[in-house]
Amino acid sequence: MSLANEKSTKNNTLVEVRNLKQYFPVSYGLFSKKYIKAIDDVSFNIKRGETLGLVGESGCGKTTTGRSILRLYEPTGGRIIYDGVDITKVDMKPYRKKMQIVFQDPYASLDPRMTVGDIIGEPIDINKLAGSKKERTYMILEMLNRVGLNSEHANRYPHEFSGGQRQRIGIARALAVNPEFIVCDEPISALDVSIQAQIVNMFEELQEKMGLTYLFIAHDISVVEHISNRIGVMYLGKLVELADSHELVFHNVHPYTRSLISAVPIPDPASSRKRKRIVLEGDVPSPLNPPSGCRFCTRCPYADERCKTEEPKLTEISNGHYAACHHLDKVQGN
C-alpha cells in the first residue's frame, strides 16, 4: 500500500476499536474477587459519516462498548483510536467536544432542577464555545430548532415534556458542542412506537446536515437495519458477526444472528406463517462464569466438543462480512 493510500484509509476511518476489554470486579467470598467480562476482546472500526449498528440481547455488552469507547468507563484492556490518535490513556477533555452520547432514558438523563436552556447551555459553558451571553442564547435556540423544538421551550423544565420531547432535548445537548461522533445508546427503546420513527428520521436528517458518525445501539434489528450502514451482533461480551446491514439481515451465517432475525415480526401474515422461528434453548450464561470455548456453545444447535474447548475467531468470510463460528458450513447448509 502506498503512503497516499494509507493516509486516505486512515482519514476515512474515524473510530477504531482494537481488542477492547471491560472487566468489572465483583466481590466473591471474603477474600477473593471475580470479574464480569462485559466486553472481551472486541474489535471493529467505524468509517467517517457512517452508522454502525450494534445489536444483541440485554446484557451482551452493547452499552458498555459504547461507554468504553467514550471512556465513560475506563477500559480494562485494548485500544481506542480516534481519527488516527490512540486516546486510550490520554486526557479526554479535548475529545469531549468531538465525541458525545445520547442516553437511553430521557427521564433519568436530564437534571430536573435545570431549565432546558441551561441543560443545553451547560456543554457550551464548559467548553467555552460562546463569546457572550447573546451568542450563548442564540446557540441554545439554534439547537432547539434543529431538533424540532422552539424558543418557548428553553425556559421550561424537563418534567413539562413528553418522553419524545425529552429525548430531543438530550439530542440537542449532545449536538451543542458540534460533535463528529455520537454514541446513540438505545435512544428510542423508552419511547412509543409512533415517536420512534420520528426520532430515527431526525437522526438521519442530522447526520446528513452535520456529517455525523453514529454508533447506534438498539434491540430492534428492523430499526437498526433502517438507519445503519453496517451491523455488528454481540453475544455475552463478544462480537459474533459483522456485515453490511442488508447482507446481515438477508445472508446472515451465525446461528445466534439467525435466531435474532427470525424473531423480527413480519407484517405480512402469509410470509410470517411460512417463516421458521428459531427458538434458542436455555438462558444466557452468567458473564461471571462464561462457557469455555465458544460463548454461544451452551445454546447452539450445532455445538460439538471443539466448540466447548476452542474459541472461534472473528474471520472474514466474504468482502466485509465477518463471523465467529466453527461450523459456518453446517449453518449455511440449512
Side-chain angles (χ1 to χ4, degrees):
M1 182 185 286
S2 70
L3 286 175
N5 288 339
E6 188 176 346
K7 186 176 181 182
S8 173
T9 303
K10 174 186 169 184
N11 291 342
N12 191 41
T13 300
L14 185 63
V15 180
E16 294 180 70
V17 176
R18 295 285 169 261
N19 310 109
L20 186 65
K21 297 180 180 179
Q22 186 61 263
Y23 299 168
F24 296 110
V26 177
S27 295
Y28 193 76
L30 195 57
F31 301 107
S32 61
K33 277 187 179 179
K34 292 193 77 170
Y35 291 88
I36 293 177
K37 297 183 177 181
I39 315 171
D40 198 7
D41 201 18
V42 166
S43 299
F44 57 84
N45 63 57
I46 308 174
K47 295 174 185 175
R48 193 181 299 274
E50 86 161 336
T51 300
L52 176 68
L54 210 53
V55 299
E57 291 171 288
S58 295
C60 70
K62 306 185 299 296
T63 292
T64 304
T65 299
R67 295 189 179 198
S68 297
I69 290 171
L70 298 181
R71 283 185 50 201
L72 299 180
Y73 298 149
E74 288 297 338
T76 305
R79 297 168 67 207
I80 303 154
I81 300 165
Y82 184 84
D83 201 13
V85 179
D86 190 338
I87 62 168
T88 316
K89 301 291 183 183
V90 303
D91 176 17
M92 282 297 291
K93 190 170 183 181
Y95 292 93
R96 293 296 178 209
K97 287 192 291 184
K98 300 178 180 182
M99 309 168 75
Q100 285 289 309
I101 185 169
V102 176
F103 293 99
Q104 175 181 358
D105 189 350
Y107 294 89
S109 60
L110 303 178
D111 190 332
R113 297 166 297 179
M114 295 174 70
T115 65
V116 168
D118 286 336
I119 288 170
I120 299 170
E122 187 175 31
I124 295 172
D125 298 339
I126 290 171
N127 292 283
K128 298 179 173 61
L129 300 179
S132 64
K133 191 173 181 180
K134 184 178 180 182
E135 186 181 359
R136 178 183 186 269
T137 302
Y138 172 79
M139 292 173 72
I140 292 168
L141 298 183
E142 184 187 17
M143 288 303 115
L144 284 171
N145 181 62
R146 194 165 279 186
V147 298
L149 299 174
N150 60 55
S151 58
E152 295 176 4
H153 294 133
N155 296 318
R156 298 185 188 177
Y157 289 86
H159 73 268
E160 299 178 62
F161 294 89
S162 67
Q165 288 175 318
R166 291 189 200 197
Q167 195 60 289
R168 289 173 187 267
I169 295 164
I171 294 167
R173 177 177 59 187
L175 295 175
V177 292
N178 197 25
E180 300 173 323
F181 173 63
I182 298 180
V183 173
C184 306
D185 181 15
E186 302 196 38
I188 60 170
S189 63
L191 307 177
D192 293 338
V193 175
S194 58
I195 305 299
Q196 288 182 1
Q198 295 176 20
I199 299 297
V200 168
N201 290 337
M202 187 177 69
F203 273 120
E204 292 182 313
E205 290 168 10
L206 290 168
Q207 185 174 40
E208 192 174 333
K209 288 177 183 175
M210 302 178 68
L212 296 168
T213 303
Y214 294 140
L215 175 64
F216 196 90
I217 299 165
H219 282 97
D220 191 337
I221 292 182
S222 58
V223 171
V224 176
E225 180 200 0
H226 173 77
I227 196 173
S228 303
N229 303 99
R230 292 183 299 141
I231 301 174
V233 180
M234 289 191 71
Y235 181 82
L236 208 62
K238 292 281 188 180
L239 194 63
V240 297
E241 191 163 3
L242 175 66
D244 173 87
S245 57
H246 183 273
E247 173 80 5
L248 187 120
V249 171
F250 294 100
H251 303 107
N252 46 79
V253 295
H254 195 281
Y256 178 62
T257 307
R258 291 203 162 181
S259 175
L260 288 182
I261 299 294
S262 77
V264 177
I266 297 178
D268 179 18
S271 300
S272 183
R273 281 193 292 268
K274 290 177 185 176
R275 187 176 64 170
K276 182 183 177 184
R277 174 78 170 90
I278 303 171
V279 180
L280 298 177
E281 296 182 1
D283 298 321
V284 181
S286 168
L288 261 176
N289 189 27
S292 58
C294 176
R295 296 278 172 94
F296 188 57
C297 69
T298 57
R299 303 174 75 194
C300 180
Y302 304 97
D304 59 13
E305 286 304 314
R306 181 188 180 193
C307 301
K308 295 176 183 177
T309 56
E310 183 184 336
E311 183 181 324
K313 301 296 181 186
L314 194 67
T315 308
E316 188 170 20
I317 58 171
S318 62
N319 187 27
H321 191 162
Y322 298 82
C325 181
H326 293 309
H327 301 296
L328 293 176
D329 53 338
K330 292 181 184 178
V331 180
Q332 288 174 291
N334 287 338

